[in-house]
Amino acid sequence: MYHWCTDEVEPHDRFDYWREVRAKGLFGVTAELERERRADFFGEFSLRQLGGGGLVELKALHYTVERSTSDIAHAPGDSICVYQQLGSGGWFGGMRGSDFAIANGSFATSHTDLPYRTAPLGAGGFHLRILKIPLSGLARQDKRMRELAPRTFDDRSLAPLLGACFADLGEAAADDDSAADAASLVQALAHLALIERGIVRPGSRLGQAALRTARLSQARRLIARHLQDPDLTPMMVADLLGISVRHLHMLFESATKSFSQTVTDERLKHSRRLMREAPDRLIADIAASCGFDSLATYYRVFNAAYGMAPGDFRAQGPERR
């Protein structure tokens, strides 16, 4: 992962450095801010290359951005971008079609090599994630992909699927063992964007694979959110997803672990985190808070998974875990 922040530069040089080196060099855009406000500018971003795409998270105080025809010629991308708005909202304009605003929690998509202008709507500035996926890495090739001017997702049913995939992709970036998961998540996000734009059909092989990956991400995140509930069942999760129990089990058939194995694994991982974060908390209390129906069950399952009792794991100390 590459991370950079304006705190690394002297205050009077921060925006100039951001504009000339970061904006032009990394993103291929022109950034502008009134000179009298530049000394107070703050910006930071991270860039992770994973699964065949580049995941950027950017936070910055208010300024304006333009990707002009000269910027595109200088730094062509030939990629699809999927945006997740995390801040107070943003405005896009200066391209084919009408201007639009994107609200906090919403998603948009575009091709990199079409001009646009953008600025944050609120005083809080920019906060967004951008997944950049080269067209060369996509299974589907279609000339319409290069005509995707910036636009929000109009299909609201896709929003929770996109959110789950983005969240899982962020977690995969921190886990070296999740490269395969990251690749499927990147492809799913790209093809969900193409479904929304009418380039990929939901019922096609690629469309079904994207929807399956996204719904599996949703299911796993629902499991993680309800670990404490001892009645966490396939029916409960299927109802929350709006699908049948049979469909839910079919989602997990394509994964490395079944529904019940996923629940147990998530409960065990959560119990390990709690033991690290709260070393004085009673193990019985931790087991109950993770949804285990008895302390005996927790000890048996923990020992089977890790070859030691929970108390022995805790006794190792943080340096050996």
Side-chain angles (χ1 to χ4, degrees), residues 133-316:
I133 312 133
L135 293 191
S136 60
L138 293 178
R140 173 72 184 270
Q141 299 295 318
D142 190 305
K143 65 180 182 180
R144 290 175 293 172
M145 296 179 187
R146 294 185 173 87
E147 300 171 357
L148 298 178
R151 200 181 80 187
T152 55
F153 280 74
D154 294 327
D155 187 345
R156 294 185 179 181
S157 67
L158 292 176
L161 301 176
L162 292 160
C165 286
F166 260 110
D168 278 359
L169 192 61
E171 293 177 6
D175 185 355
D176 293 336
D177 297 327
S178 299
D181 288 342
S184 64
L185 289 165
V186 167
Q187 291 289 311
L189 282 162
H191 291 130
L192 288 173
L194 295 176
I195 287 172
E196 208 277 337
R197 291 297 190 98
I199 296 175
V200 168
R201 291 182 296 105
S204 68
R205 178 181 60 84
L206 291 176
Q208 288 182 333
L211 291 168
R212 185 167 54 248
T213 296
R215 286 178 181 139
L216 183 58
S217 284
Q218 256 193 305
R220 286 170 170 163
R221 302 200 76 77
L222 284 169
I223 287 170
R225 197 180 307 159
H226 293 87
L227 286 179
Q228 191 171 359
D229 190 342
D231 296 322
L232 178 58
T233 62
M235 181 173 291
M236 173 184 170
V237 174
D239 286 345
L240 290 170
L241 287 173
I243 61 176
S244 68
V245 173
R246 181 174 178 274
H247 189 177
L248 179 70
H249 284 303
M250 288 175 62
L251 293 179
F252 281 91
E253 283 177 4
S254 62
T256 56
K257 296 175 183 176
S258 68
F259 178 90
S260 61
Q261 289 171 331
T262 300
V263 171
T264 299
D265 186 57
E266 288 296 321
R267 283 175 168 161
L268 287 172
K269 288 194 293 187
H270 187 52
S271 75
R272 284 162 57 110
R273 286 195 296 270
L274 291 177
M275 280 192 279
R276 286 193 295 265
E277 295 166 3
D280 297 326
R281 189 173 178 182
L282 292 175
I283 289 177
D285 184 35
I286 288 175
S289 70
C290 293
F292 288 97
D293 55 8
S294 72
L295 186 59
T297 299
Y298 176 56
Y299 268 79
R300 174 176 56 79
V301 173
F302 194 99
N303 189 69
Y306 305 118
M308 67 179 75
D312 295 332
F313 170 80
R314 171 177 274 176
Q316 286 183 334

Side-chain angles (χ1 to χ4, degrees), residues 64-87:
T64 60
V65 173
E66 179 179 9
R67 182 149 165 83
S68 65
T69 53
S70 60
D71 291 324
I72 293 166
H74 175 72
D78 199 24
S79 301
I80 289 176
C81 286
V82 184
Y83 306 84
Q84 182 182 27
Q85 182 69 39
L86 299 173

Side-chain angles (χ1 to χ4, degrees), residues 41-108:
F41 179 76
F42 172 83
E44 66 176 332
F45 66 84
S46 62
L47 169 63
R48 303 177 179 95
Q49 297 290 344
L50 68 165
L55 180 63
V56 172
E57 181 161 352
L58 181 146
K59 296 179 183 179
L61 293 180
H62 194 289
Y63 67 103
T64 60
V65 173
E66 179 179 9
R67 182 149 165 83
S68 65
T69 53
S70 60
D71 291 324
I72 293 166
H74 175 72
D78 199 24
S79 301
I80 289 176
C81 286
V82 184
Y83 306 84
Q84 182 182 27
Q85 182 69 39
L86 299 173
S88 56
W91 166 86
F92 276 85
M95 65 280 176
R96 287 178 296 178
S98 59
D99 297 359
F100 68 89
I102 176 170
N104 181 27
S106 296
F107 300 87

